[in-house]
Amino acid sequence: MPTSGHAARPDAAAPADPADTSAPEPSLPPETEAAEKASPAQEEYVAAVNARLEQVLHQKRSEMVKISAEAGPLAESLLALTSGGKKLRPVLAWIGWRAASGDAAHPPQPLIELGVALELFQAAALVHDDVIDRSSTRRGQPSAHVRFAQLHTNRGYAGSAPHFGTSGAILTGDLSLSWASEAFDGAHESAGSPTAAARGAFRRMHTEVITGQYLDVLSEVASAPENEEQAVKQARNVLRYKAAKYSTEYPIALGCALAGGSDELLRTLSEAALPLGEAFQLRDDLLGVFGDPKVTGKPVGDDLREGKRTELIAYGLHRSSAAEAQRLEAMLGDPELTEHDVAEARDILAASGAMTLVEDEITRLTDQSAGVARRLPDLGVSPTVAADFDRVARRLTARTS
C-alpha cells in the first residue's frame, strides 16, 4: 500500500485494556532521520516544491470557486494532505537530476515542477487508497472521505454522509491525478532536452500503481496461495507495483531523464533505487504490526484488519504451528480486532521467525542497492550526489515512522 500513515477503520472495536503487556517488544532499527540532517541545498529544494505545490493548489481552487463556491473543499482537502511531509519522492528526483546534470546554484524550475507532479500523484494514490482500505485518518488528520462525510453532516445535507464522503474523495483523487499530469507536462516542456524515456516512464507509473492497487484488493478476497513460495511471490508483486516502484525507482529515473541523463545512468539509478523501494515497503509492513503508535502516528494492526497478505503474514502463516496459523488466518480481514488480538498476532509472527525473515530481506535489499550505487561514480556522478543517495537510502530503510 502506499505509505505515509493511515489509521484504523472507524468501525474497529475499542482497544483492549491498556494494562495488557503480552505483545513482545519490537526490535526495530533506531531512527536515523534526526541524526542525518538534510543539506541546505536539499532544504532549499523541498521548500521550493512546497511553495510551488501550495501555489498550484490555490490557483486550482480559484478556478473551481469561479464555477461554484461550493467546489472549494476539493482543493482544500489536497492542501491539507500535501502540507509539510518528508517529500522523499521529490528528493529522489532531485538526486536523479543532479546525477545527470550536476549541481546548480538553485533548484531549476523543471525539477521543481517534477517535484510537484510527484507529490500530486502521491496524494491521488493516498486518497484513493484510504477509500479502498476504509482508513479514517492520514498523516494525523481525517482522510479525504472522512472530511467530506463531516462536511455533509455539518451542513445538514440529505442522503448518506459516508457515500457523499466516498464520492468527494474519489473526485479529489481524480483531480490530483489530472493535476499531476499537468505539472509533469510543465516540467517536460521546460526541461530543454529531456530523454524520450521521461514521458513514457511517467505514463507507466500510472498504469503500474493502479494495477498494483487492484492486485492488492484482489489478494484480500481471492483464495490464498497454497504454499509459502507462492504467497511471498504474490506479496512481493503487489508491494513492487503498488508502492515500491513509484516511491523510489520512478522519482529518481524521472529526474535523471528530464535532465537528459544517459541510458546507462538511467538504468543504474533505477537498479539502485528499486531495492530501496521494496525495503522501504517491507519496513512499512513491520511497522504496521510491530511499530510504536506514538512514533508512527497510527495504531498497529491496520494491515491485519484490512486482510493484507504481506510477506510478513505469508511467512507467519506458513512457519507457525497449524493452530497458530489458523488463528492468524482468522484475524485477517476482521475489522473488529482489538489491541489484545493484535498483540496475539505479534506473538505468533515473532515466534514463527517471520519478523526476522523480513528484517533479513530488508538487509539483503539494502545491500543490493548499495552494491549498484557503488558504480555511480564511474558514470560521472559526483561524490556529493552519491553521498546524498546513501543518506536517503538509510533514511528509507531504517525508519520508525
Side-chain angles (χ1 to χ4, degrees), residues 119-164:
E119 282 297 294
L120 288 171
F121 183 89
Q122 159 81 342
L126 297 181
V127 168
H128 286 162
D129 191 56
D130 287 341
V131 171
I132 292 168
D133 289 343
R134 289 168 283 182
S135 299
S136 61
T137 65
R138 172 69 67 174
R139 294 174 175 171
Q141 58 185 330
S143 298
H145 63 281
V146 175
R147 291 174 66 95
F148 282 102
Q150 291 171 344
L151 177 69
H152 180 285
T153 299
N154 293 340
R155 296 189 178 179
Y157 294 153
S160 166
H163 178 70
F164 180 83

Side-chain angles (χ1 to χ4, degrees), residues 63 181 195-196 222 277 324 369 384:
E63 292 177 21
S181 293
T195 68
E324 289 176 329
S369 170
T384 300

Side-chain angles (χ1 to χ4, degrees), residues 26-365:
S27 177
L28 295 172
E31 183 64 87
T32 62
E33 294 176 23
E36 297 191 77
K37 183 176 172 59
S39 68
Q42 179 179 324
E43 291 180 341
E44 180 185 4
Y45 172 63
V46 168
V49 171
N50 281 330
R52 177 58 179 153
L53 178 58
E54 184 176 4
Q55 180 187 40
V56 167
L57 289 174
H58 277 295
Q59 288 173 344
K60 293 299 182 183
R61 184 187 181 281
S62 296
E63 292 177 21
M64 298 171 77
V65 297
K66 288 179 181 178
I67 300 171
S68 170
E70 300 293 334
L74 290 166
E76 290 160 12
S77 63
L78 289 172
L79 279 163
L81 178 60
T82 59
S83 63
K86 300 169 186 175
K87 299 294 187 287
L88 287 174
R89 290 165 185 83
V91 166
L92 284 165
W94 173 72
I95 290 172
W97 178 284
R98 293 160 59 232
S101 66
D103 282 304
H106 300 288
Q109 195 61 36
L111 181 57
I112 295 171
E113 297 296 329
L114 175 59
V116 170
L118 291 168
E119 282 297 294
L120 288 171
F121 183 89
Q122 159 81 342
L126 297 181
V127 168
H128 286 162
D129 191 56
D130 287 341
V131 171
I132 292 168
D133 289 343
R134 289 168 283 182
S135 299
S136 61
T137 65
R138 172 69 67 174
R139 294 174 175 171
Q141 58 185 330
S143 298
H145 63 281
V146 175
R147 291 174 66 95
F148 282 102
Q150 291 171 344
L151 177 69
H152 180 285
T153 299
N154 293 340
R155 296 189 178 179
Y157 294 153
S160 166
H163 178 70
F164 180 83
T166 296
S167 301
I170 290 172
L171 295 170
T172 297
D174 289 348
L175 277 172
S176 192
L177 203 59
S178 174
W179 295 341
S181 293
E182 285 186 33
F184 178 79
D185 287 344
H188 195 275
E189 290 168 6
S190 61
S193 302
T195 68
R199 194 175 294 279
F202 191 73
R203 289 171 177 165
R204 281 196 307 278
M205 183 173 70
H206 286 68
T207 301
E208 290 181 358
V209 169
I210 294 170
T211 301
Q213 180 69 270
Y214 175 74
L215 293 176
D216 187 34
V217 172
L218 182 63
S219 72
E220 296 173 23
V221 298
S223 298
E226 295 182 357
N227 57 55
E228 179 182 291
E229 181 181 2
Q230 291 176 353
V232 171
K233 182 178 179 181
Q234 174 181 286
R236 180 61 63 89
N237 201 45
V238 169
L239 175 149
R240 177 176 294 141
Y241 288 101
K242 179 184 174 183
K245 288 171 74 70
Y246 100 92
S247 293
T248 57
E249 180 184 8
Y250 278 117
I252 203 167
L254 286 166
C256 176
L258 281 182
S262 68
D263 290 345
E264 184 177 7
L265 178 59
L266 188 61
R267 283 194 302 270
T268 304
L269 288 170
S270 295
E271 289 174 13
L274 179 57
L276 287 181
E278 295 181 354
F280 176 76
Q281 296 304 322
L282 288 174
R283 174 68 61 209
D284 197 63
D285 292 344
L286 286 175
L287 291 172
V289 178
F290 292 95
D292 181 353
K294 295 178 181 178
V295 178
T296 63
K298 57 180 178 178
V300 295
D302 276 7
D303 284 359
L304 296 170
R305 295 183 182 98
E306 294 159 10
K308 301 295 184 186
R309 293 189 177 274
T310 63
E311 290 182 43
L312 178 68
I313 295 300
Y315 286 128
L317 288 172
H318 291 278
R319 302 210 175 198
S320 299
S321 68
E324 289 176 329
Q326 184 176 15
R327 175 61 181 138
L328 186 60
E329 181 71 45
M331 293 185 195
L332 293 178
D334 181 359
E336 304 298 330
L337 287 186
T338 66
E339 287 186 2
H340 178 80
D341 296 326
V342 174
E344 183 181 355
R346 286 160 60 115
D347 286 336
I348 293 172
L349 292 167
S352 69
M355 179 180 181
T356 299
L357 286 165
V358 174
E359 285 283 9
D360 289 346
E361 182 64 5
I362 291 172
T363 299
R364 186 191 71 79
L365 289 164

